[in-house]
Amino acid sequence: MAAAHNLTKNKLLSSLPESAPWLRQLKPVDLPLGKVLYESGTKLTHVYFPTTSIVSLLSVMENGASAEIAVVGYEGIVGVSLFMGGESTPSRAVVQSAGEGLRLKANVLMREFNRAGPMLHLLLRYTQALITQMSQTAACNRHHSLDQQLCRWLLLSWTVWIPTTW
């Protein structure tokens, strides 16, 4: 069972009632630098809630080239495509900054999501924020200089890193 203090390190989980029985099924995991959580097109068996780590979501091209489309830290969940109607993911998820997280089986998340309770609404709001981040990333990559893109990346990485390490 995930330690209660770990739940508070992820903003999504900390905003849910602690009495939710499915929260006991979260498993603490180490997320080392470079660990691939998902490959593009693979079936999702788990979702991840980073607590002290940062995960990059990468769009992968047919030739193997990739581009970062979003970063997920203590504020989110890795595996959004699962509850948005797909069993697989169109992106690769790679740990960008080593740390810890909580892992949950996909079927447990889907059971809770389909109950149409607080988890559904929370995950949909988070998905909107993630889509906004992806849109801003696309615009930045197209219209900003490399220096400006680096500043955006540092800002995103800093904001998802700072609250859990200070």
Side-chain angles (χ1 to χ4, degrees):
M1 180 171 86
H5 72 277
N6 281 344
L7 296 179
T8 63
K9 290 184 178 182
N10 180 280
K11 293 298 180 189
L12 287 178
L13 296 174
S14 68
S15 65
L16 293 168
E18 289 182 30
S19 61
W22 65 269
L23 289 173
R24 291 190 296 267
Q25 296 186 50
L26 287 160
K27 304 290 183 206
V29 290
D30 287 324
L31 298 173
L33 177 66
K35 179 177 176 69
V36 177
L37 302 180
Y38 307 127
E39 281 292 352
S40 178
T42 58
K43 183 176 179 173
L44 302 180
T45 59
H46 294 86
V47 294
Y48 295 84
F49 295 89
T51 55
T52 62
S53 58
I54 300 172
V55 178
S56 288
L57 303 181
L58 306 168
S59 178
V60 182
M61 313 305 162
E62 283 184 22
N63 67 1
S66 63
E68 184 177 76
I69 55 174
V71 293
V72 180
Y74 78 100
E75 82 296 343
I77 181 175
V78 179
V80 165
S81 60
L82 177 71
F83 56 84
M84 292 305 293
E87 290 186 0
S88 66
T89 179
S91 59
R92 175 185 293 151
V94 180
V95 177
Q96 170 187 306
S97 180
E100 298 172 341
L102 296 164
R103 185 173 77 174
L104 184 66
K105 289 182 180 179
N107 64 329
V108 174
L109 179 81
M110 288 309 300
R111 189 171 46 246
E112 186 62 26
F113 185 84
N114 289 329
R115 288 185 47 195
M119 180 61 133
L120 176 136
H121 299 290
L122 183 67
L123 290 178
L124 290 179
R125 284 194 311 272
Y126 172 74
T127 301
Q128 177 60 44
L130 186 64
I131 290 169
T132 300
Q133 182 191 151
M134 290 175 175
S135 299
Q136 291 173 338
T137 298
C140 179
N141 289 345
R142 172 67 175 95
H143 296 289
H144 294 148
S145 69
L146 286 177
D147 287 346
Q148 290 170 318
Q149 291 177 47
L150 175 62
C151 288
R152 179 200 59 82
W153 182 85
L154 289 171
L155 180 62
L156 280 173
S157 296
W158 181 255
T159 57
V160 297
W161 175 76
I162 194 170
T164 60
T165 56
W166 277 14

